[in-house]
């Protein structure tokens, strides 16, 4: 079966997601704002879930239709071929969002789409009441400008939940964003990579996974693994193929933080991710950063604070860290910050900036090459 897949992603990383999908040899890759579309069969669902570093989840597009009122929403949803995906006992909760000029009530839209799907499935399976005792088929909908699109979520918990970070620091960086930062730094495992504000170790761990070419989804399960359309042998084959592409080398990844408790946590996370041997963790103050290597790349996410006092403290940290790295001749810097005056505090303008979002927080990746 040919499927149209939708990969939601953080704003600013659409191109990275598209590149990942192309490297998987998937077809019809089409990036849009906040999402990337791609065509493929059931194996593509497993490939994308297991292998994507920067995508948030993998959705199957069931269809789109005009929905200017609730009657049109019901008729459009009922017209979809639900039985092509949902078995007679499948559970299908509905969630989504509505940004249209007329249909804005999410609870009403949920109720109508649920009823439309149930009516269609009930006719196909000859049931007045569907049991919903089987596998989970999470239905998602998006209503924008009087057009409704309905999806099935194959992922379950978001792809950023790799499974290695059950506990995070006070201001966790989403794994998918950390992977995007590593990708944009062009780190491929050959040079030294340092994160002087490593926190719970996310950037360093994602760098190690990228260096090893280890698929980030190998250590977790996905919602569609319970679907009869996707036998476990298919998932096993995709995982085996991913493992066969791993590299085994010596990597120099330095992760430091002033907080010893965070360093302990980061080590635990790296151990769970299977990359502890690739990362050198130590307690150190980023404001006294002195690398041992003559060249390398810094990829980091220093604190930026959300309250006035925290922002002022962050500005002092930026200034002192800027002084510490000022004399580095052959190092490239990639620094993520949501602080509006980062460059002024840091002491120099970035050669390039890229707008990224950590969840809903707008940030900039300041690039010094």
């Amino acid at each position: 079966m040919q499927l149209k897949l939708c990969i939601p992603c953080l704003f600013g990383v659409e191109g990275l997601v598209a590149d990942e999908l192309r490297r998987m040899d998937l077809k019809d890759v089409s990036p849009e704002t906040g999402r990337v579309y791609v065509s493929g069969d059931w194996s593509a669902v497993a490939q994308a879930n297991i292998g994507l570093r920067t995508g948030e989840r993998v959705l199957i597009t069931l269809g789109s239709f005009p929905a200017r009122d609730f009657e049109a929403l019901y008729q459009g949803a009922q017209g979809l071929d639900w039985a092509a995906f949902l078995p007679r006992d499948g559970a299908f909760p509905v969630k989504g969002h509505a940004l249209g000029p007329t249909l804005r009530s999410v609870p009403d839209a949920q109720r109508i789409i649920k009823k439309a799907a149930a009516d269609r499935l009930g006719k196909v399976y000859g049931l007045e009441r569907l049991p919903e005792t089987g596998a989970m088929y999470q239905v998602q909908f998006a209503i924008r400008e009087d057009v409704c699109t309905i999806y099935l979520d194959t992922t379950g918990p978001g792809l950023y939940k790799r499974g290695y970070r059950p506990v995070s620091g006070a201001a966790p960086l989403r794994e998918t964003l950390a992977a995007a930062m590593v990708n944009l730094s062009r780190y491929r495992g050959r040079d030294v990579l340092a994160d002087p504000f490593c926190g719970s170790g996310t950037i360093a761990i994602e760098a190690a996974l990228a260096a090893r070419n280890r698929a980030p989804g190998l250590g977790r399960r996905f919602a569609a693994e319970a679907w009869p359309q996707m036998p476990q042998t298919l998932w096993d084959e995709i995982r085996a193929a991913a493992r066969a592409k791993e590299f085994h080398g010596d990597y120099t990844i330095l992760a430091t933080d002033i907080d010893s408790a965070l360093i302990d946590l980061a080590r635990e996370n790296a151990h769970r991710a299977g990359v502890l041997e690739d990362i050198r963790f130590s307690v150190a103050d980023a404001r006294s950063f002195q690398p041992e290597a003559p060249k390398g790349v810094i990829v980091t996410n220093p604190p930026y604070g959300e309250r006035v006092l925290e922002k002022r403290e962050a500005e002092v940290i930026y200034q002192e860290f800027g002084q510490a790295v000022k004399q580095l001749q052959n190092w490239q810097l990639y620094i993520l910050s949501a602080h509006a005056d980062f460059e002024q505090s840091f002491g120099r303008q970035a050669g390039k900036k890229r707008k990224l979002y950590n969840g809903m927080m707008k940030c900039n990746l300041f690039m010094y090459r």
Side-chain angles (χ1 to χ4, degrees), residues 10 36 58 74 78 85 88 125 144 148 204 240 251 270 283 287:
L10 297 172
V36 181
V58 181
Y74 175 84
Q78 190 187 46
F85 298 93
R88 62 188 293 132
Y125 294 124
R144 298 186 183 89
C148 178
Y251 310 110
V283 178
R287 295 169 294 186

Side-chain angles (χ1 to χ4, degrees), residues 146 167 210 251 321 336 344:
D146 290 335
V167 179
Y251 310 110
F321 179 56
L336 185 74
Q344 181 178 349

Side-chain angles (χ1 to χ4, degrees), residues 31-52:
E32 296 184 5
T33 302
R35 62 187 58 82
V36 181
Y37 291 100
V38 64
S39 298
D41 56 14
W42 288 109
S43 65
V45 172
Q47 277 184 278
N49 273 303
I50 292 170
L52 277 174

